Amino acid sequence: MTSTLIATIALAGLSPAPAFGTVAVKGSDTMLILNQRFAEAFGKKHPGIAIEVTGGGSSIGINAFINGVADICASSRPMRKSEIDRARSRGATATETPIALDGLAVIVNINNPVTSLTMDQLRRIYIGQINNWSQVGGPNQAIVVLSRDSNSGTYGFFQEKVLKNQNWGRGVRFMPSTAEEARETARTPGAIAYGGVAYFKGRDGIKIIGVAPAEGKPPVLPTEANVRNKSYPIWRYLYYYTNGRPRGEVKTFIDWCLSPEGQSVVEQVGYYSLK
Amino acid sequence: MASVIGDRIPSRAKLAARDARRKLNSRLFEVWLWSMGVLITLAILAVIVTIVIKGLPAMNWEFLSTGPKEGMKEGGIWPMLRGSILLMIGTLLIVLPVGVFGGVFLAEYAGTSRLVTLVRACVVALAGTPSVIYGLFGLAVFVLLITKHTSLIAGCLTLAMFALPVIVLTTESAIKAVPESFVEAGVSLGMSKWQVIRKVILPAALPGIVTGLVLSTGRAAGEAPPILFTAGIYYSTAKLTFDLEMFKKPVANLPYHLAEGYRQGSVIPEKIIWGTCLTLMLLVLLINLAAIIVRARARKRQVW
Amino acid sequence: MKRLKLRDLPAVALVYLSGALVVLVIVAIFYYLAHEARYAFDRPFPYGYRFSLQSPILEPDPYTGQVLDDLTVDPNATLLAANFEGDDGIDEKEEGAPMATLEELEGYHPFGTGSAVIDSLDDLNPQELFRDNWKQAKDATKGDRFILFAFATQEYTQPTMKLAFQPDAAFSPKDCPFDIKLRVIRTPNGIEVEPVEIDLIQNPSGKIELPTWIAKSDEERTNGYVFEMVVTPKKSNFTATIAGFFKTDWAPTLQYPRYGFVPLLLSTMLMALLALAIAVPIGLACSTYLAEIAPARIREWLKPIIEMLASIPTVVLGYFGLMIVAPSVVKVFSQAIGMTSGRSFLTASLVLAFLLLPTVISIGEDALRAVPSSFRDGASALGFTAKETIKKVVLPAARAGVVATVLLGFARAIGETMIIWILSGGTAVMPSIDPVKTLAGPTRGMTDTIAIEMGNVEFEGPHYGHLFMIGLTLFLITLAINLIGYAYGRKRKWLAS
């Protein structure tokens, strides 16, 4: 009993600010691997500054940020206006720093003759309006549509960017990881899937196809150059949010992330470096 | 009357045949029940043995004593193991007084009124409430309402809520199992009610209480949903220290590591996942083993 | 017993306090789940319709072979919508985009539609014409009004034109708590039409044929047909939210979110029932063996092993299911029921059944042991065989206990999170009437929805509130089942009769 009381009192009296010398990075599950790699590499270089990485989702990060308990909020989506307002009302100014560039590649089985799709065809496939490859110039074969599950930031991004916020078709199967998508696509002749380019490079049994930004425009492959100059249509930034301009240890960490050394970690994880 | 029965009595041979059939039938039934018992036991053993076999290649001292490295692809799980042990100890410390005194209250002070019956029924129902509900509660109260962020203490409190009903119930039944004659002896010595409880009932019921405590904290330590939103952390380069500061911070722990490992898919290699599974299972099993030993020792000393 | 001594008082107070705390916990769980669930009722109800003029002669769509009816992707369509946040999830450039001028339309499209962000035609400023009209979504008790202009350009030669309308992608009018009407409020000079009023909830998509009217200059764009879309409330926010909760569509991340939790509820229930159907016969057989037949020596060996299963964390069992059970299930059933992935209803139910075994066995054994041995003695005195004793005497006498076993097992099954999360496949769909399809396909229950989605919701927003509503529902269901199970478990049928 007493210990509960003490615990409760201690709990209520906790100062929310993390201890001196640590940087708490919270947020997006999409960026968890990137954050972890950053922390690991940074830790070797700067043993004096501890980095704590937590996942759970963009909103857990954003909420922690609003309450001032995370130094950095990692988000795979820009903050919503309502969230920025809430942060401001508690005295935090959300400052956005793009940290990496992400391009989503679309893959099909290696034996599929289709080499490109338009954004509109892709949307129709995922909302279930097109369900046979013959409708997009392929063989007469049913399309097996694969997606990431709703827990991933990639899911939301694809739904927004490609599906124009329409609902997924009934036949779409949701996979827990991009690797699983690739494996399933390699063994299913009619499959289509999407995910970060790096996951798909050099894998057997699948091929990355081009995406045409609009009807009548030439298809674009998600090469580094095409994602960089934004001619490839499915790309996004990954962000770090800080309260005001980064200062002190947070600045040291973010500066390191943006340095060539940090950006090589970005490439290693499978995203594109900013430059 | 007699003639009616007499007409219905079958011949001796028929009776013998029917008896043989009944015996065979019963025998088959017994074999069926036996086979079900054996089947289930074998299946359970198979699962445990599989987890052990799959997990053993990863197991070594380094795996248990170092942190993850190379992007979680190598290294060990010490921070997670430490976190799970801390969560367990914290949970135990919080739940111990409330659970035990709550049990004493239900067994000795609450009486048998309808209200108390309802409370007892509710405690039973709480013991069967899904752990994800406690997770939601912990998120709403300990995280969002009180501390505004995830931390070890929020996780401990959530797990303590989860373990509480079971401890109350086991304490109550352990106390009720103490023979009435003990209480009478105490009373005849002129002890007050509380003195009887403290000097007679609690010592006699101690093994049962300890068993309940240990079993339910062990179970709590293996539950992922309550700490999913309240205490988990994925990776940290911070030095692991033991101080008060530690309670304010989230901790890496085994169930969370497995849940995130699943979410991230294929980032953490299978070998490490299996190793983590085995470690978590062994941790809970060892605690249970401790409980079983306590119970067995107590039984030997028990004279009533 | 002597009266309380003064120095014992603190200890006794502590005991009472602990008792009170236990009661408090029950109340607190209920209170805080309900407290957080209230955010669900802050939900705005977004709606949106697209409007576009079309020629009566349309070309078929190259993909579907049908005439292109889908205005969702028509770049010329005007969208009149109230959205949670105007810019959220939509290409930001579309907000505040001006209405197309005649010059822009030349050689590209013979029609134009647009809107002005005004409440009444008298406020019209011809300089401020927009293609789309956004409003902040209101709660279900507040209405709204939109104005829409429609005209053709000089390139158009047909005598009539059609105003096509349809709900915006992912907006489903039948879930909408508003009455939405479309009316013609002004016709161009010299053109008379029958009064038009269309109920956009009953007829969410369709066309109105009108005599062609051509705008000759940019100023004239507002002189043509003027429509209004009037939105009036039909329900209170509370009833609308509750009604939305009991719908069959769970799609909370959509721009027009749907929070129907019936598929989650049904999937959870069905998975639990299938798991019980497997676990109860096997488990009860095993507990009968342990309680009635097994020699003490064997029992002492078997019981700890079965109890060991109860101490395997469920997340570990989930992994075991994913890596060991799922592949074999696919191997066995891929041909028979066309299962393509191991993450399915069937796999989740199988592992769940396994999880239930220790619960079923230990409660079942307790129930059987509670039957007085005099019953068995009586039966054997009558010359009953073991089977007859069990089937005709012991099991009927333990019926209440068996019912309790099933109920408590059910409560345990619907509350399980990690196994369902890892093995269900994660797709929130209504279970199909075709059992094979349901078994082979992916699914998603209540618990795993909470666990999966909680990390990505805006805290204290409507989605967050709905996850707590699910939690509250789950809590109440398990509470009820556990209470009934407890009552049954205490009942001694042979004492009553």
Side-chain angles (χ1 to χ4, degrees):
Chain A
M1 189 63 225
T2 5
S3 64
T4 323
L5 280 179
I6 292 167
T8 319
I9 292 162
L11 194 62
L14 287 184
S15 72
F20 180 76
T22 60
V23 177
V25 186
K26 290 198 182 195
S28 162
D29 271 331
T30 320
M31 292 170 68
L32 194 55
I33 310 164
L34 178 64
N35 297 338
Q36 190 273 331
R37 289 273 186 160
F38 270 152
E40 197 176 331
F42 179 80
K44 282 180 192 148
K45 194 105 184 172
H46 300 264
I49 304 174
I51 312 288
E52 288 180 350
V53 179
T54 318
S58 294
S59 26
I60 285 193
I62 289 172
N63 186 71
F65 178 79
I66 288 171
N67 288 309
V69 293
D71 301 294
I72 297 174
C73 159
S75 180
S76 53
R77 59 170 168 88
M79 258 195 201
R80 295 196 179 111
K81 207 173 152 292
S82 61
E83 289 165 338
I84 293 177
D85 289 347
R86 261 172 69 206
R88 192 175 298 143
S89 74
R90 301 195 190 186
T93 324
T95 311
E96 188 178 279
T97 314
I99 211 80
L101 193 60
D102 184 18
L104 291 190
V106 178
I107 55 162
V108 295
N109 188 274
I110 189 93
N111 297 321
N112 194 325
V114 174
T115 55
S116 74
L117 292 169
T118 65
M119 283 289 272
D120 190 52
Q121 286 171 327
L122 206 52
R123 183 183 68 92
R124 284 161 185 269
I125 288 173
Y126 272 90
I127 63 174
Q129 274 184 3
I130 297 179
N131 40 40
N132 196 300
W133 284 108
S134 62
Q135 289 168 298
V136 291
N140 181 16
Q141 189 170 47
I143 305 180
V144 177
V145 189
L146 307 176
S147 162
R148 284 295 314 277
D149 60 17
S150 65
N151 165 61
S152 81
T154 317
Y155 163 100
F157 173 67
F158 197 79
Q159 186 172 37
E160 180 187 317
K161 195 85 180 178
V162 179
L163 274 70
K164 304 279 178 223
N165 270 313
Q166 282 176 283
N167 209 356
W168 304 84
R170 272 192 80 87
V172 178
R173 282 175 181 273
F174 297 94
M175 303 281 150
S177 70
T178 313
E180 191 75 12
E181 280 186 292
R183 201 177 311 152
E184 196 76 25
T185 309
R187 65 167 180 236
T188 318
I192 184 169
Y194 64 88
V197 187
Y199 287 102
F200 299 142
K201 273 187 185 151
R203 275 189 185 262
D204 291 335
I206 57 168
K207 67 172 179 191
I208 297 174
I209 60 169
V211 178
E215 204 76 30
K217 295 225 174 117
V220 186
L221 278 166
T223 60
E224 194 171 333
N226 288 340
V227 174
R228 282 262 162 72
N229 66 24
K230 278 130 206 183
S231 60
Y232 183 73
I234 322 172
W235 63 272
R236 61 174 163 178
Y237 280 122
L238 302 176
Y239 302 99
Y240 271 179
Y241 282 94
T242 49
N243 181 6
R245 297 197 157 222
R247 278 182 303 267
E249 281 103 6
V250 178
K251 185 170 163 39
T252 317
F253 178 61
I254 291 189
D255 283 350
W256 180 86
C257 294
L258 293 170
S259 73
E261 204 181 340
Q263 291 294 305
S264 74
V265 172
V266 171
E267 297 274 340
Q268 198 187 334
V269 172
Y271 299 118
Y272 292 118
S273 60
L274 289 169
K275 250 286 126 51
Chain B
M1 194 76 174
S3 69
V4 174
I5 292 172
D7 286 347
R8 286 196 181 170
I9 289 176
S11 72
R12 220 158 224 264
K14 256 190 187 166
L15 262 181
R18 203 185 67 183
D19 268 1
R21 217 173 40 241
R22 276 174 58 210
K23 284 226 174 78
L24 181 70
N25 214 331
S26 176
R27 197 80 206 125
L28 284 177
F29 182 70
E30 279 177 49
V31 169
W32 181 68
L33 292 182
W34 174 85
S35 63
M36 282 300 152
V38 171
L39 186 83
I40 288 177
T41 318
L42 286 183
I44 292 169
L45 279 179
V47 170
I48 292 171
V49 167
T50 311
I51 295 171
V52 171
I53 288 175
K54 292 270 185 183
L56 268 185
M59 269 302 166
N60 52 45
W61 178 243
E62 201 198 331
F63 183 70
L64 294 177
S65 64
T66 61
K69 52 184 191 221
E70 302 303 320
M72 315 298 269
K73 293 204 186 310
E74 279 167 38
I77 53 164
W78 165 240
M80 296 85 193
L81 184 58
R82 169 183 170 273
S84 274
I85 294 171
L86 282 179
L87 276 171
M88 215 157 59
I89 295 173
T91 306
L92 194 67
L93 287 181
I94 296 168
V95 93
L96 182 91
V98 186
V100 172
F101 285 124
V104 172
F105 174 75
L106 272 190
E108 295 292 327
Y109 285 89
T112 50
S113 73
R114 281 211 172 166
L115 186 69
V116 174
T117 315
L118 183 71
V119 169
R120 186 172 293 120
C122 282
V123 175
V124 173
L126 269 192
T129 295
S131 57
V132 70
I133 301 291
Y134 292 95
L136 280 180
F137 181 82
L139 171 70
V141 177
F142 302 133
V143 175
L144 293 180
L145 191 71
I146 303 181
T147 58
K148 314 284 184 206
H149 65 128
T150 57
S151 61
L152 174 60
I153 187 79
C156 289
L157 284 169
T158 310
L159 286 177
M161 299 263 303
F162 174 67
L164 181 65
V166 177
I167 290 172
V168 171
L169 291 176
T170 46
T171 305
E172 191 198 357
S173 61
I175 289 174
K176 289 212 164 145
V178 176
E180 198 61 27
S181 56
F182 279 40
V183 179
E184 282 158 12
V187 172
S188 66
L189 285 173
M191 287 170 147
S192 73
K193 181 165 181 177
W194 175 248
Q195 280 174 320
V196 172
I197 292 173
R198 198 166 66 91
K199 300 248 168 77
V200 179
I201 297 180
L202 281 184
L206 198 63
I209 295 173
V210 170
T211 311
L213 269 175
V214 169
L215 280 178
S216 58
T217 13
R219 196 180 147 219
E223 267 318 296
I227 44 98
L228 218 46
F229 320 122
T230 54
I233 193 173
Y234 185 62
Y235 178 82
S236 172
T237 57
K239 292 225 161 50
L240 303 177
T241 51
F242 290 90
D243 50 20
L244 266 180
E245 202 56 28
M246 156 183 100
F247 285 97
K248 303 178 194 172
K249 289 187 188 168
V251 284
N253 58 73
L254 295 168
Y256 187 82
H257 188 60
L258 286 173
E260 277 298 352
Y262 172 71
R263 271 210 253 231
Q264 293 303 318
S266 72
V267 170
I268 304 172
E270 256 186 48
K271 188 179 147 193
I272 292 186
I273 294 272
W274 279 118
T276 314
C277 282
L278 178 60
T279 314
L280 182 56
M281 188 176 84
L282 286 182
L283 183 69
V284 180
L285 275 181
L286 282 180
I287 297 162
N288 290 3
L289 203 67
I292 290 166
I293 292 169
V294 169
R295 198 164 50 183
R297 284 194 151 191
R299 268 202 195 135
K300 270 189 195 152
R301 277 192 287 141
Q302 240 169 26
V303 278
W304 66 87
Chain C
M1 206 175 282
K2 276 203 176 170
R3 288 195 54 230
L4 189 69
K5 282 187 183 159
L6 201 61
R7 65 190 172 87
D8 292 342
L9 203 64
V12 175
L14 216 60
V15 167
Y16 272 96
L17 211 63
S18 302
L21 210 68
V22 170
V23 179
L24 201 70
V25 164
I26 301 165
V27 179
I29 289 183
F30 180 79
Y31 174 76
Y32 276 103
L33 290 183
H35 187 264
E36 298 300 294
R38 91 202 131 104
Y39 289 109
F41 298 95
D42 287 345
R43 111 171 238 213
F45 289 87
Y47 50 85
Y49 283 88
R50 284 181 187 266
F51 301 88
S52 181
L53 280 174
Q54 294 176 339
S55 165
I57 305 150
L58 276 173
E59 286 180 11
D61 181 75
Y63 306 119
T64 54
Q66 298 160 342
V67 172
L68 179 64
D69 275 338
D70 189 3
L71 304 184
T72 316
V73 285
D74 183 342
N76 297 296
T78 289
L79 174 56
L80 303 183
N83 259 304
F84 182 37
E85 267 173 43
D87 58 358
D88 191 38
I90 296 169
D91 191 353
E92 278 177 47
K93 285 178 213 119
E94 285 183 24
E95 195 191 13
M99 185 168 161
T101 60
L102 294 182
E103 196 188 339
E104 283 165 0
L105 290 170
E106 198 181 334
Y108 176 58
H109 201 65
F111 304 107
T113 50
S115 176
V117 184
I118 49 171
D119 293 327
S120 141
L121 266 184
D122 302 333
D123 305 338
L124 181 64
N125 174 1
Q127 259 68 53
E128 292 197 346
L129 297 172
F130 296 97
R131 193 177 67 209
D132 302 327
N133 190 353
W134 294 107
K135 297 233 163 116
Q136 227 15 50
K138 299 279 169 54
D139 64 29
T141 50
K142 298 201 185 81
D144 234 323
R145 183 163 178 266
F146 295 84
I147 286 172
L148 173 78
F149 306 106
F151 62 93
T153 68
Q154 280 165 319
E155 287 169 38
Y156 189 62
T157 50
Q158 304 286 333
T160 61
M161 54 188 193
K162 280 178 175 171
L163 180 79
F165 51 90
Q166 77 174 39
D168 191 18
F171 168 59
S172 96
K174 64 178 183 345
D175 298 340
C176 182
F178 298 104
D179 254 332
I180 305 181
K181 296 243 160 60
L182 179 70
R183 297 192 193 102
V184 179
I185 53 170
R186 203 180 72 195
T187 52
N189 283 338
I191 297 180
E192 297 262 325
V193 292
E194 300 269 312
V196 179
E197 181 178 290
I198 292 164
D199 186 337
L200 287 180
I201 298 293
Q202 299 301 322
N203 310 295
S205 55
K207 282 167 190 171
I208 310 170
E209 189 152 3
L210 299 159
T212 303
W213 181 83
I214 290 170
K216 297 197 175 61
S217 71
D218 279 347
E219 283 68 44
E220 281 189 8
R221 285 180 300 172
T222 53
N223 295 351
Y225 292 100
V226 180
F227 299 82
E228 65 170 4
M229 188 171 100
V230 183
V231 182
T232 44
K234 204 158 61 171
K235 290 173 186 162
S236 77
N237 229 27
F238 182 81
T239 40
T241 306
I242 294 287
F245 192 56
F246 286 96
K247 290 245 159 60
T248 59
D249 219 345
W250 178 262
T253 54
L254 288 181
Q255 197 180 350
Y256 303 94
R258 295 178 206 156
Y259 297 110
F261 96 123
V262 176
L264 311 177
L265 177 74
L266 279 184
S267 303
T268 290
M269 294 288 176
L270 289 178
M271 266 188 282
L273 283 178
L274 179 58
L276 274 183
I278 301 166
V280 166
I282 302 177
L284 273 185
C286 183
S287 43
T288 314
Y289 174 71
L290 288 177
E292 304 290 323
I293 296 167
R297 204 165 44 83
I298 292 183
R299 228 176 65 81
E300 300 225 319
W301 272 101
L302 294 193
K303 284 241 20 166
I305 293 177
I306 291 166
E307 275 171 11
M308 221 148 77
L309 173 59
S311 63
I312 301 180
T314 54
V315 60
V316 174
L317 269 187
Y319 261 109
F320 179 84
L322 181 68
M323 303 208 236
I324 309 285
V325 181
S328 10
V329 168
V330 173
K331 234 177 244 163
V332 175
F333 291 98
S334 64
Q335 293 299 312
I337 59 175
M339 186 186 276
T340 53
S341 168
R343 291 192 188 82
S344 63
F345 188 99
L346 182 64
T347 322
S349 306
L350 284 177
V351 178
L352 206 51
F354 190 66
L355 172 84
L356 292 183
L357 284 176
T359 313
V360 171
I361 292 172
S362 74
I363 307 177
E365 200 198 337
D366 286 348
L368 292 174
R369 288 192 172 274
V371 176
S373 55
S374 58
F375 279 44
R376 297 180 190 93
D377 298 343
S380 71
L382 287 171
F384 277 24
T385 62
K387 182 186 179 181
E388 287 158 349
T389 312
I390 291 167
K391 282 212 154 170
K392 294 189 178 145
V393 179
V394 180
L395 279 178
R399 203 169 64 195
V402 172
V403 172
T405 311
V406 173
L407 284 172
L408 297 180
F410 188 65
R412 178 99 176 82
I414 62 173
E416 176 45 39
T417 308
M418 294 315 287
I419 287 177
I420 312 278
W421 180 12
I422 294 178
L423 291 171
S424 67
T427 314
V429 286
M430 280 294 276
S432 164
I433 302 191
D434 178 3
V436 169
K437 228 173 164 182
T438 302
L439 285 178
T443 180
R444 190 204 272 183
M446 299 199 277
T447 49
D448 53 327
T449 298
I450 297 173
I452 291 172
E453 291 182 356
M454 194 47 98
N456 276 308
V457 299
E458 188 185 336
F459 283 136
E460 300 177 358
H463 187 184
Y464 170 90
H466 277 90
L467 292 182
F468 270 91
M469 290 250 277
I470 297 179
L472 187 63
T473 315
L474 185 66
F475 178 58
L476 291 178
I477 293 174
T478 49
L479 198 69
I481 295 175
N482 278 316
L483 284 179
I484 298 170
Y486 176 67
Y488 262 105
R490 283 159 56 93
K491 214 156 128 188
R492 295 278 181 263
K493 190 133 193 305
W494 56 92
L495 290 183
S497 57

